[in-house]
């Protein structure tokens, strides 16, 4: 009996040590610390560290940068290795994700005391294989920006929302954000509309789950162990599902020894259950609409969406994008047409999201560090 007790004790001690190391070594989350940028002396890296906290389609973080000899400038490119070609064949989400980064970068540079000049390379012949922009920084006086502190909040909240609606003042503030971008934001709270959009989102989720190519792409984005998260900290992981750290650690052990836990059928089931639960606890939707689909317009949509996220945090609200229904691949066309017929008004619906007051806080999702997305070369 004593040997059994000692064996169990040793196992518990070993498990405890492994868990402590798991918590300590999750360096793909360290970037969320407010003083993390101080790890770098190069102001370009400090600014990029803030940009990397931005939201991106499927958390792909499709950003990369080239540093040349000029210490006050860097080039911005799209990371084509992070394309999601099945669900984003026309690259809308990809370009919107460039705008979210640029917005975060602009807010951070103000607070750090730098002025940004962004020179876009986009013209009629531009494509995603070419440089997106050259960014030049110039030292200036630091400015206060009340949105800065919210850069460090989780960008997406997939949890449950309270049965509360927005005040008139909150709706007015939110809608006003779109004016300077020449875009439109539509807030939807009527019960009949909320139910209709929720049903369309569920229909889109079922379409996505039945499309094997889409599900294979989703599975490729899922990181189910610490090694994959440290090497390629983009896409999906258990951190993004709102689970406590101990559960993440335990489930990853199960997936390691029982691969069936990570079977595509399990992925489909979890995806559909999560979507249904989220929709059933949603009381407000928001859309961002544009008259244009050119690259610069899509980047503006991303900038507005990121500014929306930060303003919602200031109001105590959170948001989760629902890409199903506004994606443009063939299988999703029926849902795409229904939602545009009901709410498009001859415009393109480029973002659809649920928003509300969270029932509880949510986890941060994994992120790259600056050195993982920067290439330094000599001219």
């Amino acid at each position: 009996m004593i040997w059994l007790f000692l064996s169990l004790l040793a196992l518990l001690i070993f498990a405890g040590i492994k868990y402590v190391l798991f918590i300590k070594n999750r360096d793909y989350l360290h970037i969320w610390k407010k003083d993390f940028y101080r790890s770098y002396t190069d102001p370009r890296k400090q600014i990029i560290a803030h940009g990397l906290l931005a939201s991106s389609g499927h958390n792909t973080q499709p950003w990369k940068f080239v540093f040349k000899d000029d210490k006050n400038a860097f080039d911005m490119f799209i990371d084509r290795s992070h394309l999601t070609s099945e669900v984003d064949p026309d690259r809308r989400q990809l370009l919107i994700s460039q705008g979210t980064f640029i917005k975060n970068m602009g807010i951070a540079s103000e607070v750090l005391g730098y002025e940004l000049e962004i020179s876009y390379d986009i013209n009629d012949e531009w494509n995603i294989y070419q440089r997106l922009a050259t960014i030049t920084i110039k030292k200036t006086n630091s400015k206060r920006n009340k949105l800065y502190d919210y850069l460090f909040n989780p960008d997406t909240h997939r949890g449950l929302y309270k049965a509360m609606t927005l005040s008139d003042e909150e709706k007015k503030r939110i809608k006003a954000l779109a004016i300077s971008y020449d875009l439109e934001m539509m807030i939807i709270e009527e019960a009949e509309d909320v139910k209709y959009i929720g049903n369309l989102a569920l229909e889109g989720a079922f379409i996505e789950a039945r499309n094997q190519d889409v599900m294979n792409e989703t599975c490729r984005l899922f990181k189910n162990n610490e090694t994959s998260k440290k090497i390629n900290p983009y896409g999906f992981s258990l951190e993004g599902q709102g689970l406590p750290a101990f559960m993440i650690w335990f489930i990853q052990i199960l997936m390691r020894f029982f691969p069936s836990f990570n079977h595509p059928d399990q992925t489909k089931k979890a995806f559909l259950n999560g979507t249904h639960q989220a929709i059933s606890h949603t009381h407000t939707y928001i859309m961002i609409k544009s008259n244009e689909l050119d690259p610069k317009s899509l980047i503006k949509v991303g900038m507005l969406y990121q500014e929306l996220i930060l303003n919602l945090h200031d109001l105590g609200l959170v948001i989760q994008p629902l890409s199903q229904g506004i994606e443009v691949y063939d299988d999703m066309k029926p849902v795409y047409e229904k939602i545009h017929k009901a709410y498009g008004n001859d415009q393109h619906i480029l973002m659809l999201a649920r928003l509300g007051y969270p029932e509880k806080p949510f986890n941060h999702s994994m992120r790259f560090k600056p050195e993982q997305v920067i290439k330094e070369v000599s001219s």
Side-chain angles (χ1 to χ4, degrees):
M1 183 64 73
I2 187 67
W3 289 109
L4 178 60
F5 172 76
L6 291 175
S7 297
L8 289 173
L9 180 61
L11 181 61
L12 287 173
I13 292 172
F14 176 75
I17 293 172
K18 295 291 285 184
Y19 177 67
V20 170
L21 291 174
F22 163 74
I23 294 296
K24 182 180 179 180
N25 293 328
R26 294 197 296 172
D27 53 357
Y28 46 83
L29 297 179
H30 292 172
I31 194 171
W32 289 101
K33 296 177 181 177
K34 194 171 180 180
D35 62 349
F36 176 83
Y37 76 94
R38 297 183 187 275
S39 307
Y40 306 96
T41 56
D42 188 328
R44 297 172 298 176
K45 291 183 179 179
Q46 292 181 339
I47 292 170
I48 287 173
H50 289 84
L52 289 169
L53 304 179
S55 177
S56 60
H58 302 285
N59 194 32
T60 50
Q61 304 168 58
W63 313 302
K64 65 179 182 179
F65 309 91
V66 174
F67 285 10
K68 297 180 180 177
D69 295 335
D70 187 348
K71 302 299 183 183
N72 296 311
F74 58 95
D75 294 335
M76 181 174 181
F77 291 82
I78 289 173
D79 191 334
R80 301 188 306 278
S81 67
H82 296 182
L83 300 181
T84 50
S85 298
E86 297 298 333
V87 296
D88 189 30
D90 66 349
R91 314 303 188 214
R92 293 186 188 184
Q93 295 178 31
L94 180 73
L95 287 162
I96 289 171
S97 298
Q98 307 309 308
T100 59
F101 183 97
I102 289 168
K103 172 53 68 173
N104 260 24
M105 188 171 57
I107 292 171
S109 62
E110 280 187 4
V111 175
L112 297 182
Y114 291 92
E115 181 181 312
L116 290 188
E117 180 182 318
I118 302 176
S119 177
Y120 290 102
D121 286 276
I122 297 171
N123 55 39
D124 291 341
E125 298 179 356
W126 181 85
N127 61 63
I128 63 170
Y129 297 92
Q130 299 171 323
R131 181 177 61 190
L132 180 73
T134 296
I135 299 163
T136 305
I137 64 172
K138 179 182 178 182
K139 187 62 180 171
T140 185
N141 294 326
S142 175
K143 298 178 182 178
R144 183 181 178 277
N145 190 315
K146 71 175 184 178
L147 298 180
Y148 176 78
D149 287 344
Y150 301 115
L151 296 180
F152 307 96
N153 286 7
D155 60 297
T156 297
H157 193 299
R158 295 182 176 85
L160 308 183
Y161 298 169
K162 298 177 182 178
M164 298 170 61
T165 55
L166 308 184
S167 69
D168 290 340
E169 192 62 33
E170 288 170 334
K171 286 185 278 191
K172 182 179 178 181
R173 173 176 167 180
I174 290 169
K175 287 183 177 180
L177 297 174
I179 295 174
S180 63
Y181 295 96
D182 195 25
L183 298 168
E184 181 184 344
M185 269 201 292
M186 183 178 184
I187 297 172
I188 299 165
E189 290 185 314
E190 292 293 331
E192 186 176 339
D193 289 315
V194 168
K195 182 179 179 180
Y196 182 68
I197 293 173
N199 287 337
L200 287 179
L202 287 171
E203 183 181 347
F206 277 104
I207 290 171
E208 202 160 283
R210 289 195 301 265
N211 187 310
Q212 195 57 51
D213 291 332
V214 170
M215 293 311 298
N216 288 341
E217 185 173 76
T218 300
C219 288
R220 286 195 296 271
L221 287 172
F222 184 69
K223 310 298 190 301
N224 64 357
N225 59 68
E226 292 304 294
T227 300
S228 62
K229 286 189 283 187
K230 289 178 180 179
I231 296 173
N232 290 303
Y234 71 94
F236 307 120
S237 70
L238 293 173
E239 278 78 10
Q241 308 308 312
L243 297 173
F246 179 80
M247 284 298 297
I248 293 171
W249 175 71
F250 183 67
I251 292 172
Q252 286 184 171
I253 291 175
L254 290 178
M255 287 193 292
R256 180 178 179 182
F257 291 101
F258 303 98
S260 61
F261 274 84
N262 195 35
H263 191 275
D265 289 343
Q266 292 294 331
T267 302
K268 290 180 184 180
K269 183 178 179 180
F271 168 62
L272 292 173
N273 287 342
T275 303
H276 185 271
Q277 188 176 45
I279 295 304
S280 63
H281 288 79
T282 299
H283 311 280
T284 305
Y285 291 99
I286 191 164
M287 297 177 181
I288 298 179
K289 301 191 289 185
S290 172
N291 292 317
E292 307 295 338
L293 282 175
D294 61 281
K296 284 189 176 180
S297 294
L298 293 171
I299 289 171
K300 284 199 302 181
V301 170
M303 294 176 71
L304 172 58
Y305 180 68
Q306 190 64 26
E307 188 172 348
L308 170 64
I309 292 172
L310 302 176
N311 275 274
L312 291 177
H313 285 313
D314 189 44
L315 294 170
L317 292 155
V318 293
I319 192 168
Q320 178 194 358
L322 298 173
S323 56
Q324 303 89 8
I326 57 170
E327 293 169 336
V328 294
Y329 61 95
D330 290 344
D331 286 1
M332 197 63 73
K333 187 175 180 180
V335 179
Y336 181 91
E337 290 179 345
K338 288 177 188 176
I339 200 166
H340 276 79
K341 182 179 180 180
Y343 304 103
N345 295 326
D346 296 323
Q347 293 178 298
H348 305 283
I349 301 172
L350 296 172
M351 291 297 303
L352 167 65
R354 55 189 287 259
L355 63 84
Y357 297 93
E359 290 194 359
K360 61 181 181 180
F362 209 72
N363 297 338
H364 291 96
S365 52
M366 55 189 173
R367 286 293 191 275
F368 282 111
K369 292 181 180 178
E371 59 267 27
Q372 293 176 290
V373 297
I374 294 170
K375 181 179 181 181
E376 301 193 40
V377 300
S378 297
S379 299

